[in-house]
Amino acid sequence: QGRPLAFVVDDYLIGGGLILGAIYFNADTLRRRAAFAAAWAATAGGLYGSFFGKLLDTTGAGFHSNIPDDLLTGLIGAAYATSLFGLVATIALREPRTS
């Protein structure tokens, strides 16, 4: 839909960070937990502007999408909530017992 390349690349970088973080999180170390939390934080940061920009759109310019506006806002809101939950859960998880 004619999006600038930078917006496409950042989606792949954020998604790749989450996938790599999940793969390498199989051994729970502080460094890997921090990397996974950072990937969730980057996802939340990327979705923040998209969600609230669509939620509080005062220009009435529309979204230029083939998905209905309300559905798109709901999907992005669900993804934003999931990223916040993932961030908090990654930080709040207890370390596994080593016995």
Side-chain angles (χ1 to χ4, degrees):
Q1 295 196 4
R3 290 177 62 196
L5 183 61
F7 294 123
V8 175
V9 171
D10 84 329
D11 290 345
Y12 282 98
L13 290 175
I14 289 172
L18 281 173
I19 292 170
L20 288 175
I23 290 170
Y24 291 117
F25 195 48
N26 63 357
D28 189 8
T29 65
L30 182 59
R31 179 174 289 165
R32 290 177 179 187
R33 185 181 290 244
F36 198 41
W40 279 118
T43 303
L47 288 168
Y48 176 85
S50 183
F51 175 62
F52 285 105
K54 287 174 181 36
L55 187 67
L56 304 173
D57 182 28
T58 58
T59 63
F63 302 145
H64 307 296
S65 174
N66 56 353
I67 299 174
D69 296 351
D70 294 339
L71 178 61
L72 180 61
T73 303
L75 290 172
I76 293 172
Y80 180 58
T82 301
S83 67
L84 292 176
F85 176 78
L87 174 60
V88 171
T90 302
I91 294 170
L93 282 173
R94 293 185 181 180
E95 290 188 42
R97 291 186 161 185
T98 56
S99 58

